[in-house]
Amino acid sequence: MSGTDQGATVWLTGLPSAGKTTIANELAGRLRGEGHRVEVLDGDEIREFLSAGLGFSREDRHTNVQRIGFVAQLLAANGVKALVPVIAPYADSRDAVRKRHEARSAAYLEVHVATPVEVCSVRDVKGLYAKQAAGEISGLTGVDDPYEAPESPDLRIESHTQTVAQSAAALHALLTERGLA
């Protein structure tokens, strides 16, 4: 099976506004240009369509991550590169997704987009940090709700020290090294 036919899940975890979706979309374009079948499972879209009704409690966050992981594994098993830019703040939830992939012999890579909260709060793509600071919302991951950073991800991207293209290239290099691109 060639790299273009090989499915995989690439989970990009990190704080809100870390750059996960931007990097995933950049990588998706590059992979599609090389003939890969790619889907980006955006966390906001998943919450709207697949996980509507779930809140942001630890239990609901775990359920959301498991649902996304299930869909990603199905895609990966069918030759699609599933790029998953989803916070997934709890290590045990991410580990459960990895184990499901391993049990079904589906490739799974965990990528930590390790952007410091100080940088994320300045980027504040969706205005979440401003809302939290104003007391309009609570439970913001990495601020007043936990974020358990991966201890040994397959790749750690310091998106605040390099361009989006460089971040996507580092991830593409990892896929190539693992025979997936």
Side-chain angles (χ1 to χ4, degrees):
M1 188 179 295
S2 74
T4 55
D5 298 328
Q6 177 78 31
T9 294
V10 180
W11 199 293
L12 294 92
T13 179
L15 296 174
S17 296
K20 301 176 300 296
T21 301
T22 304
I23 294 166
N25 286 330
E26 177 84 10
L27 178 62
R30 181 171 178 178
L31 290 170
R32 285 184 187 115
E34 296 172 353
H36 297 270
R37 292 186 301 149
V38 181
E39 287 294 332
V40 177
L41 300 180
D42 180 80
D44 293 333
E45 291 177 359
I46 296 287
R47 274 205 173 264
E48 182 178 350
F49 297 106
L50 187 64
S51 295
L54 290 181
F56 291 91
S57 67
R58 183 180 177 109
E59 229 176 89
D60 282 357
R61 288 178 190 262
H62 178 78
T63 299
N64 186 48
V65 167
Q66 297 316 298
R67 287 178 183 176
I68 297 168
F70 176 76
V71 172
Q73 186 272 316
L74 285 176
L75 289 168
N78 286 284
V80 177
K81 305 285 188 304
L83 307 182
V84 186
V86 173
I87 295 169
Y90 300 108
D92 60 346
S93 295
R94 295 189 307 264
D95 289 345
V97 171
R98 179 186 291 276
K99 286 179 179 142
R100 183 180 305 110
H101 278 72
E102 288 170 354
R104 291 165 176 77
S105 301
Y108 179 87
L109 300 174
E110 183 177 73
V111 178
H112 181 205
V113 182
T115 309
V117 68
E118 298 79 17
V119 175
C120 294
S121 65
V122 170
R123 288 180 183 170
D124 204 8
V125 178
K126 298 171 194 159
L128 297 175
Y129 292 92
K131 286 180 181 173
Q132 191 276 337
E136 296 171 25
I137 62 169
S138 62
L140 182 59
T141 301
V143 178
D144 60 352
D145 213 49
Y147 176 72
E148 299 170 357
E151 290 181 18
S152 54
D154 295 283
L155 178 67
R156 192 175 314 276
I157 293 175
E158 309 270 343
S159 76
H160 57 294
T161 66
Q162 59 191 25
T163 66
V164 172
Q166 289 169 327
S167 296
L171 188 41
H172 189 275
L174 176 65
L175 288 168
T176 301
E177 175 187 305
R178 302 280 173 95
L180 299 169

